[in-house]
Amino acid sequence: MGDYDDDTAFLGQSGPYFWTTFFLLNVVFVSTGFNGLYIVFVGAAPKHHCLIPDVNLTEEWRDAIIPFTIVDGEEVQSQCSRYKIDVVRNLSAQGYIPGREVNLTTLEQEGCLDGWNYSKEIYQSTIVTEWDLVCDNQWKVPFASSSLFVGYLIGSLVSGQLSDRFGRKKVVFMSLGVQCLSVLLQSFSHSWRMFCIMYLWVGASQISLYISAFVLGTEVLSKTMRVLFTTLGAFLFYCIGYMTLPWIAYGIREWRTLVAVLSTTSLINFPLWWFIPESPRWLMTQGRVKEAEAIVREAASKNKVQAPPVIFKESEELPLSKTYTMLDVLKSKNLRCITLMCLLLWMAINIGYFGLSLNTSNLSGNPFVNCFLSATTEVPAYIVSTWLLKTCPRRVLLSLFLIIGGGVLLLIQFIPDTLHNVALALEMTGKFGFTMAFSIVYIYTAEIYPTVLRNIGMGMCSSAARVGSITAPYVIFLGTYNKVLPYILMGSLTIASSVVNLFLPETLHKDLPETVEQMQKCRGLCSGPKEEEMHNKCSNS
């Protein structure tokens, strides 16, 4: 089989076709910044305390019926208990004054039997206020969040095989439809269980959309545009959605209306079906050479260059009888080792990034501004990674920023509580390092796998990332037994993954492999005698 990049070199490295495709594909990523992250506002827990029923109480006893408790060294009203109504009513009827004639600490307490009273200072309603997900039920909020990650895991496993079988473009727009419908149905949830089930579908469709669009852009764009797309493009447009979300939530404080409005953000992408092309690389793997040539000739027309009479030779078709699955990445030693190392990388990056996010001090002030600032901090990392990836080796860059992120995890435990600014600076440095690692590992993985296995490989790695994000909270929970243990585990895992990364093949200035045979020509730690022989033949030729 010939080389696709060589056969289409006449298109150039830029031009109207590449820039239009670049922009349209990136527009799709904006909706992924809206959907999924809205749990920050939809699942927020406003200030609350036990609801006091309309009983005959004096004003003094109505103010004193909620006991005080110590939280983080401060005395605050209890959110989950009150003084027993019958006792307080009797004392109020007898004319006793709370705090003077009655020692409140001796009174019997009870739970919030009549429900809760929620502050509407920030939110008009959330799933917490609607279904009372507080106190004994507060575990249901993080569980709802985890259902999104489970959806990510399922979508990562399924989307790769669907995309390799039916095409990148079809899966992109199918995922858009499922995402739009599942978010809309979630706004009509009649129970917490339905909310979680629909959130699982949101996660599955969102990650499927992201991976399929990412692979489509990787295969359609030129070498130069590919780096720009997979770093600054995809991630920056995701950040645009992320940064816009808090301002939409600021204007819509009722959770059902907010979710319904966010579901419509996917609708504007459906007309793009007539403007975004299918991947010619994928069409070639299916033996659909004429369709691939038609797309390339249209690209040549838009770029105002002359296409040769024959772009792809007939001998360049891949065998139609071969259908690849996840088992194919585990058959040879070279593929198996590369895949296992990639899985470790993706899992370590997710555990470290999520671990840092859990450790970050909660910013005081407006939650909408805080969310905007959190999204904004990722922008410099994407810009810097785009600049570095143009000339710097992937292995060195990825290992460097993994060491930065892992080093912060190991160092932050030694910062005294009094040095808040130092701890915050370290946390932001670590977040910068892990954000850089995220942007690098995406393009690195896409460049390692061949076209016939690229979507499957990306899906498996994304699944490993989801396992990491689901695991991270439980790693953090180990801090209840030993404060140092979670940081040692996460930091050590990240540092170890930076070393493992050095044994992967370098992809800088290399053509994307089309077949498994081309991928196995890459020399690396896992290369056996057969792969070495193939590499030598390639080098000699």
Side-chain angles (χ1 to χ4, degrees):
M1 177 178 175
D3 186 273
Y4 177 87
D5 289 316
D6 290 341
D7 292 338
T8 59
F10 63 88
L11 293 175
Q13 291 298 306
S14 62
Y17 171 78
F18 289 127
W19 279 111
T20 301
T21 305
F22 171 85
F23 177 76
L24 294 179
L25 279 173
N26 278 319
V27 169
V28 173
F29 290 117
V30 176
S31 66
T32 63
F34 293 130
N35 300 301
L37 294 171
Y38 55 74
I39 191 66
V40 174
F41 305 107
V42 169
K47 293 180 181 179
H48 55 277
H49 57 74
C50 291
L51 177 66
I52 308 304
D54 189 15
V55 294
N56 188 19
L57 295 177
T58 63
E59 192 65 30
E60 291 87 353
W61 277 106
R62 189 168 289 277
D63 293 337
I65 195 171
I66 304 297
F68 282 84
T69 183
I70 303 298
V71 178
D72 295 330
E74 295 184 9
E75 191 177 50
V76 296
Q77 280 189 323
S78 174
Q79 296 181 331
C80 300
S81 62
R82 68 188 183 190
Y83 294 120
K84 211 164 185 178
I85 286 289
D86 293 339
V87 174
V88 171
R89 182 167 49 192
N90 291 334
L91 292 172
S92 176
Q94 295 175 27
Y96 289 103
I97 300 176
R100 294 184 190 175
E101 302 172 343
V102 177
N103 184 0
L104 296 177
T105 59
T106 63
L107 296 182
E108 187 179 356
Q109 298 184 15
E110 63 183 1
C112 300
L113 304 180
D114 299 293
W116 286 262
N117 185 25
Y118 298 95
S119 169
K120 293 190 176 182
E121 179 182 358
I122 300 177
Y123 306 102
Q124 289 300 308
S125 71
T126 68
I127 62 172
V128 173
T129 64
E130 181 157 340
W131 296 314
D132 289 333
L133 306 183
V134 293
C135 300
D136 291 342
N137 287 325
Q138 69 181 79
W139 62 271
K140 292 183 177 181
V141 177
F143 186 92
S145 300
S146 68
S147 65
L148 177 75
F149 292 110
V150 175
Y152 281 175
L153 178 61
I154 296 173
S156 300
L157 292 171
V158 175
S159 65
Q161 297 186 65
L162 290 176
S163 183
D164 284 338
R165 181 173 181 179
F166 299 106
R168 285 46 166 143
K169 180 179 175 179
K170 288 182 180 178
V171 174
V172 165
F173 286 92
M174 179 192 72
S175 300
L176 270 173
V178 175
Q179 176 182 263
C180 179
L181 181 61
S182 56
V183 175
L184 180 61
L185 290 177
Q186 193 180 39
S187 69
F188 293 99
S189 298
H190 57 75
S191 66
W192 167 77
R193 289 182 180 86
M194 180 178 176
F195 182 91
C196 292
I197 292 172
M198 298 316 303
Y199 212 21
L200 185 145
W201 279 97
V202 172
S205 58
Q206 182 183 352
I207 198 64
S208 177
L209 169 63
Y210 197 95
I211 293 175
S212 299
F214 189 91
V215 171
L216 177 58
T218 301
E219 296 180 349
V220 170
L221 299 174
S222 63
K223 291 181 183 179
T224 302
M225 299 290 291
R226 186 190 309 151
V227 174
L228 188 64
F229 171 78
T230 52
T231 53
L232 187 61
F235 292 105
L236 191 57
F237 275 72
Y238 165 83
C239 267
I240 290 174
Y242 188 5
M243 290 187 291
T244 308
L245 170 65
W247 304 118
I248 298 177
Y250 177 80
I252 306 174
R253 307 296 182 93
E254 200 277 323
W255 81 268
R256 290 185 183 274
T257 306
L258 173 61
V259 174
V261 169
L262 290 176
S263 70
T264 63
T265 59
S266 299
L267 295 176
I268 62 174
N269 293 319
F270 287 107
L272 300 181
W273 169 270
W274 289 275
F275 302 97
I276 295 177
E278 180 56 273
S279 167
R281 294 177 185 267
W282 177 80
L283 290 171
M284 292 290 292
T285 65
Q286 305 301 302
R288 296 157 65 176
V289 179
K290 291 183 179 180
E291 294 178 57
E293 282 203 1
I295 292 174
V296 175
R297 290 189 186 281
E298 182 181 358
S301 176
K302 291 182 178 179
N303 280 358
K304 297 181 180 180
V305 296
Q306 183 66 39
V310 178
I311 300 175
F312 306 113
K313 298 179 182 178
E314 190 172 348
S315 60
E316 293 179 2
E317 299 181 33
L318 289 178
L320 300 180
S321 58
K322 179 61 175 176
T323 301
Y324 292 90
T325 65
M326 283 188 287
L327 295 178
D328 289 290
V329 302
L330 303 176
K331 286 183 178 179
S332 73
K333 178 184 177 183
N334 193 26
L335 276 171
R336 187 165 55 247
C337 286
I338 288 176
T339 299
L340 290 176
M341 287 191 288
C342 288
L343 295 179
L344 175 62
L345 276 173
W346 283 64
M347 186 181 297
I349 291 173
N350 257 265
I351 291 177
Y353 181 85
F354 196 52
L356 264 183
S357 299
L358 288 176
N359 187 69
T360 302
S361 302
N362 292 323
L363 298 175
S364 59
N366 192 302
F368 306 102
V369 174
N370 292 345
C371 181
F372 175 76
L373 292 175
S374 177
T376 305
T377 55
E378 299 186 8
V379 175
Y382 298 141
I383 296 175
V384 173
S385 65
T386 301
W387 177 67
L388 292 177
L389 279 169
K390 291 182 178 180
T391 55
C392 298
R394 279 75 165 114
R395 286 186 300 188
V396 175
L397 278 182
L398 186 54
S399 291
L400 173 63
F401 289 106
L402 283 172
I403 290 173
I404 292 175
V408 167
L409 288 173
L410 293 174
L411 288 175
I412 201 170
Q413 57 185 301
F414 300 110
I415 305 300
D417 295 336
T418 55
L419 299 177
H420 299 294
N421 292 334
V422 176
L424 183 61
L426 279 176
E427 288 169 354
M428 291 301 102
T429 302
K431 186 174 184 181
F432 178 85
F434 278 104
T435 303
M436 288 285 294
F438 262 119
S439 60
I440 295 169
V441 79
Y442 261 94
I443 186 172
Y444 191 22
T445 306
E447 291 177 341
I448 287 177
Y449 282 101
T451 300
V452 294
L453 288 175
R454 187 169 295 119
N455 235 33
I456 292 177
M458 291 290 290
M460 292 179 66
C461 290
S462 185
S463 298
R466 304 288 76 80
V467 172
S469 61
I470 294 171
T471 304
Y474 299 98
V475 175
I476 293 296
F477 182 72
L478 294 175
T480 58
Y481 302 100
N482 189 314
K483 182 180 178 180
V484 177
L485 186 57
Y487 301 104
I488 293 178
L489 289 176
M490 291 187 297
S492 300
L493 178 61
T494 306
I495 297 297
S497 66
S498 70
V499 176
V500 170
N501 171 66
L502 295 174
F503 295 103
L504 286 171
E506 181 55 63
T507 60
L508 180 64
H509 300 319
K510 302 290 179 63
D511 293 334
L512 285 180
E514 304 291 342
T515 65
V516 175
E517 290 74 19
Q518 289 180 357
M519 176 185 178
Q520 290 178 333
K521 291 177 183 178
C522 300
R523 189 195 302 270
L525 174 69
C526 301
S527 299
K530 184 177 180 180
E531 287 78 11
E532 288 293 326
E533 181 181 352
M534 295 176 67
H535 176 83
N536 292 334
K537 288 181 179 179
C538 179
S539 300
N540 293 334
S541 61

